Amino acid sequence: MDFFVRQKEIVSIVGESGCGKSVLAKMMLALVHPTSGTLLYNGRAIGNELDHWREVQAVFQDPFASFNQFFTIRSQLKSSFHLFKTKPPKKEIEDRVDNALLAVNIVPREIEGKYPFELSGGQMQRMLLARIFILRPKVLIADEPTSMVDACCRATILDYLLKLKEELEMTIVFITHDIGLAYYVSDRMFIMHEGRVVEQGEPDDVALNPKDPRTVKLLDDIPNIHKEWIRR
Amino acid sequence: MPVFEVRDLHLHYQMRYGEKIHAVAGVSFALEEGEVFGIAGESGCGKSTLVNGCMGLFIPPLRPTSGDVLVNGESIMNLPPETVRRTVLGRKVAMIPQGAFNSLNPTRKIKDLAADMIKCHEEKASTTRTEIYGRLRERFTLIGMDAERVLNSFPIQLTAGMRQRCVIGISTLLNPALVIADEPTSALDVSTQKSVIKMLFDLLDEGIFSTMIFITHELPLLRHVSSRISVMYAGEFVEVGATEQVVFDPRQPYTKALMGSMLFAEPGQKERKPIAIEGAPPKLDKPIAGCRFAPRCTEARKDCAALKQEIREVAGRQVKFTHSRARNSRAISATAKSWSEPSIVWISLSGRRRLCL
């Protein structure tokens, strides 16, 4: 597959389960190496992984699987600073963790001493985003960040992601099977099928005027409240 | 007589030091044969607790406070656990859970898991192994699966969609009167979701089960699945009505917020910011006098959190309000504490009122 992502852009990669979205995310995070071809970041092949992770970070689908249940949330947020080349002083770490929590509307004392299992899924997803506010990467790979939260919390998570983009001028790669979500947030959309990009372009073109039959089928499979979805 | 009926059900969790969490408060509804009843609500609103209550499954610390649950006119409340296992689970009421993979023992083949359903819940315990596997092959073929291959597979060898179909096949083996589908498609992509729901409809139309409760937080999905929808919040039903009414013309502020939080790939969506419902549901360890949604409600008035709620009829559906917001709304009765005959919906058409079942 061939594709590119511009700086400060939000792109969405949409497709069915098993089409290769998460594998692509792992390749962009240098967690998996391509069989052939090249993946370039800022025009260069990915070298040292630690250097890469300082600039490219991820938010995953299951926040509980992303945090260690045996350590407090605050201690795990503070451990994010291990990724920095020069670890800031203790007071600065505490302040930056507090500011990151406030950025996602969590009062720091509310999570003092708390473990991941004591929070809801929506709150834990905010913790993942707080971590991103601490790390301030240039690129964020959001792999189904809202699929495990309710619709009413989804909008809140989206707001924080858009806030990240505005404040940190971040590039965001959204991976999702929710076309409504992809249409709303994206500057461009890619439709994946069986490991290939079958259609790409602006949301209005891809979602409203699809050309590829596989995109048409994917859109038909989404329950639309205004038209018939299943024939009985 | 309704196939399934819940009458003013109250459920609570008995905590260690004596406090009670009132997880379900005053839920009532009745289902007729062939009906699909949708329940929508966010995580923690009491949907799964209600499911357990509807199955008579009171695993501590969950306990019934009051109310009744009837299947074909017979109460299934307050039965001993062994009686629930032998006569209710799988036979009168079956559940299709959310995460199929977590419901299937990864160390056993599908045929053994399915056979357990028959051995544990069917009255006639003398069914032979050959008879059991014959029935499994027949049922799995009926639901459109390669019976021989699937039954002899381990769960890890199947795709997510196939695992969910297996769970549906196993849950409906004993032809229950009611199937409760608790978020059966939330972990699936849209194409698999559509095929799984089509399968549920096929089984309903074939008469494998009589009626279904479909639970989800996605109201647009219920638009196509259910004939009636109830919206649940903090243990209560806050709006109950025909599907088109609730989806296209929600009246209760929480229902409006839930619909407003949906995202659609359609013109105008980019300009229409989805509604974010800030805050968290209330703690249910103490009685709540007024509206449970008031602290998070953008339409709340000063007295909403304190005033007792009424069930009002608004534009053909039943809504829980603390004050009369809608024109032409009327209280069902001044002292109504429970939903009155929710299986009968009055729909106003061109000024005439018609009784619809």
Side-chain angles (χ1 to χ4, degrees):
Chain A
M1 60 188 296
D2 296 288
F3 74 100
F4 64 91
V5 181
R6 299 186 191 96
Q7 197 177 6
K8 295 187 217 172
E9 203 178 22
I10 299 182
V11 302
S12 291
I13 301 174
V14 183
E16 299 170 348
S17 294
C19 72
K21 306 188 296 294
S22 294
V23 172
L24 180 61
K26 287 177 185 172
M27 282 197 277
M28 288 193 275
L29 288 162
L31 295 173
V32 165
H33 296 292
T35 310
S36 64
T38 46
L39 205 140
L40 303 173
Y41 174 65
N42 277 339
R44 291 195 294 269
I46 297 169
N48 180 270
E49 283 156 354
L50 265 182
D51 289 336
H52 185 66
W53 292 334
R54 287 190 183 103
E55 299 202 1
V56 181
Q57 275 289 323
V59 169
F60 294 106
Q61 179 179 11
D62 185 355
F64 292 99
S66 304
F67 278 84
N68 189 320
Q69 302 292 321
F70 295 98
F71 292 92
T72 63
I73 294 161
R74 196 174 177 92
S75 69
Q76 293 186 70
L77 289 176
K78 289 194 313 193
S79 70
S80 306
F81 288 92
H82 291 311
L83 205 52
F84 285 49
K85 273 188 177 163
T86 314
K87 204 170 167 186
K90 212 172 172 183
K91 174 81 174 56
E92 188 182 331
I93 289 177
E94 299 290 341
D95 288 342
R96 284 175 69 168
V97 169
D98 285 344
N99 289 334
L101 290 167
L102 290 168
V104 295
N105 278 347
I106 298 278
V107 176
R109 66 169 183 276
E110 282 180 4
I111 60 125
E112 194 62 50
K114 283 200 173 161
Y115 292 82
F117 59 83
E118 295 181 84
L119 268 57
S120 68
Q123 287 174 313
M124 283 309 300
Q125 203 64 298
R126 291 192 202 191
M127 294 302 120
L128 276 178
L129 294 171
R131 185 175 165 276
I132 301 301
F133 274 101
I134 291 170
L135 293 170
R136 306 174 87 85
K138 292 195 169 56
V139 178
L140 176 65
I141 315 290
D143 188 356
E144 306 264 19
T146 59
S147 63
M148 285 185 78
V149 298
D150 290 331
C152 38
C153 299
R154 202 174 294 164
T156 311
I157 303 295
L158 282 181
D159 281 346
Y160 294 135
L161 285 167
L162 294 173
K163 193 175 166 182
L164 276 168
K165 187 206 168 194
E166 288 308 315
E167 283 187 18
L168 308 181
E169 297 189 333
M170 198 178 284
T171 304
I172 301 180
V173 179
F174 232 113
I175 292 174
T176 181
H177 59 254
D178 185 340
I179 286 201
L181 176 68
Y183 178 79
Y184 175 69
V185 299
S186 312
D187 299 312
R188 278 191 302 143
M189 280 173 68
F190 297 90
I191 306 293
M192 271 189 79
H193 181 75
E194 293 183 355
R196 288 185 159 79
V197 172
V198 297
E199 189 154 359
Q200 58 179 292
E202 292 189 7
D204 280 336
D205 293 329
V206 174
L208 304 182
N209 298 297
K211 293 175 184 58
D212 192 278
R214 288 159 291 196
T215 311
V216 172
K217 184 181 178 308
L218 189 68
L219 291 167
D220 277 346
D221 287 342
I222 298 168
N224 185 317
I225 59 171
H226 299 294
K227 57 184 187 184
E228 192 183 36
W229 183 55
I230 285 185
R231 279 223 180 126
R232 289 180 69 181
Chain B
M1 181 174 62
V3 171
F4 184 78
E5 193 176 353
V6 173
R7 290 179 184 166
D8 197 27
L9 188 65
H10 292 256
L11 304 172
H12 70 274
Y13 288 97
Q14 185 70 50
M15 306 313 286
R16 186 185 294 184
Y17 299 112
E19 65 172 352
K20 291 181 182 179
I21 308 297
H22 301 278
V24 172
V27 166
S28 298
F29 60 94
L31 307 183
E32 302 294 335
E33 189 164 339
E35 187 177 359
V36 179
F37 184 65
I39 300 178
E42 59 186 33
S43 293
C45 74
K47 304 188 297 290
S48 297
T49 305
L50 178 61
V51 167
N52 286 339
C54 288
M55 296 172 71
L57 204 58
F58 298 107
I59 298 169
L62 177 63
R63 291 191 192 166
T65 315
S66 63
D68 207 356
V69 176
L70 299 99
V71 181
N72 288 321
E74 286 179 29
S75 174
I76 62 169
M77 289 286 279
N78 302 313
L79 294 175
E82 182 60 22
T83 311
V84 170
R85 185 176 73 79
R86 287 229 79 94
T87 66
V88 177
L89 298 178
R91 294 177 64 193
K92 291 184 179 176
V93 184
M95 184 178 77
I96 299 164
Q98 180 176 0
F101 197 59
N102 294 334
S103 308
L104 299 169
N105 186 329
T107 65
R108 302 182 72 201
K109 291 185 179 178
I110 299 294
K111 63 180 179 182
D112 299 322
L113 299 171
D116 280 348
M117 183 65 163
I118 297 173
K119 290 180 210 165
C120 293
H121 300 291
E122 197 161 63
E123 204 167 11
K124 191 178 152 200
S126 61
T127 309
T128 65
R129 195 183 168 94
T130 313
E131 282 175 9
I132 288 176
Y133 292 132
R135 282 171 64 181
L136 295 182
R137 272 192 289 276
E138 192 185 325
R139 180 54 61 88
F140 273 65
T141 305
L142 178 72
I143 60 176
M145 304 191 87
D146 179 349
E148 211 50 54
R149 182 178 85 81
V150 169
L151 287 170
N152 285 297
S153 300
F154 288 94
I156 193 77
Q157 293 175 293
L158 305 173
T159 64
M162 290 176 79
R163 286 195 292 263
Q164 191 65 334
R165 287 192 192 88
C166 286
V167 168
I168 292 171
I170 295 170
S171 298
T172 54
L173 262 175
L174 303 182
N175 298 355
L178 167 72
V179 160
I180 304 176
D182 188 359
E183 306 245 28
T185 61
S186 61
L188 304 175
D189 63 57
V190 291
S191 303
T192 312
Q193 172 181 262
K194 190 175 183 180
S195 64
V196 165
I197 289 176
K198 177 93 180 35
M199 179 182 162
L200 285 169
F201 280 147
D202 288 343
L203 292 175
L204 180 64
D205 293 340
E206 295 260 354
I208 302 297
F209 52 88
S210 302
T211 184
M212 180 163 65
I213 297 174
F214 195 100
I215 295 174
T216 180
H217 57 261
E218 304 271 1
L219 269 172
L221 186 57
L222 286 182
R223 157 77 177 95
H224 298 281
V225 169
S226 57
S227 51
R228 269 190 307 139
I229 294 177
S230 70
V231 179
M232 194 168 184
Y233 181 76
E236 294 182 323
F237 281 359
V238 297
E239 185 160 358
V240 182
T243 295
E244 285 75 16
Q245 291 175 321
V246 176
V247 169
F248 292 111
D249 186 25
R251 294 304 176 106
Q252 221 278 350
Y254 177 67
T255 314
K256 286 193 231 176
L258 208 57
M259 266 316 285
S261 66
M262 298 293 156
L263 285 165
F264 304 102
E266 60 186 27
Q269 176 65 76
K270 280 195 173 287
E271 293 75 37
R272 192 173 61 242
K273 194 171 174 221
I275 294 174
I277 308 178
E278 292 293 343
K283 291 189 193 302
L284 300 177
D285 53 344
K286 290 178 178 49
I288 298 173
C291 177
R292 296 175 177 209
F293 186 56
R296 303 168 78 190
C297 180
T298 55
E299 297 179 39
R301 296 181 186 172
K302 282 184 207 166
D303 51 6
C304 282
L307 271 186
K308 191 171 159 43
Q309 285 187 285
E310 290 177 331
I311 300 165
R312 306 188 74 89
E313 187 177 308
V314 177
R317 92 294 301 270
Q318 293 171 341
V319 185
K320 217 162 196 180
F321 277 138
T322 47
H323 49 82
S324 171
R325 290 191 61 88
R327 273 176 284 174
N328 304 322
S329 83
R330 63 176 182 87
I332 301 296
S333 84
T335 56
K337 289 194 177 86
S338 65
W339 302 94
S340 55
E341 296 184 297
S343 63
I344 302 171
V345 176
W346 290 86
I347 298 176
S348 177
L349 294 168
S350 304
R352 289 179 302 161
R353 284 184 174 263
R354 241 194 248 176
L355 175 67
C356 296
L357 289 167

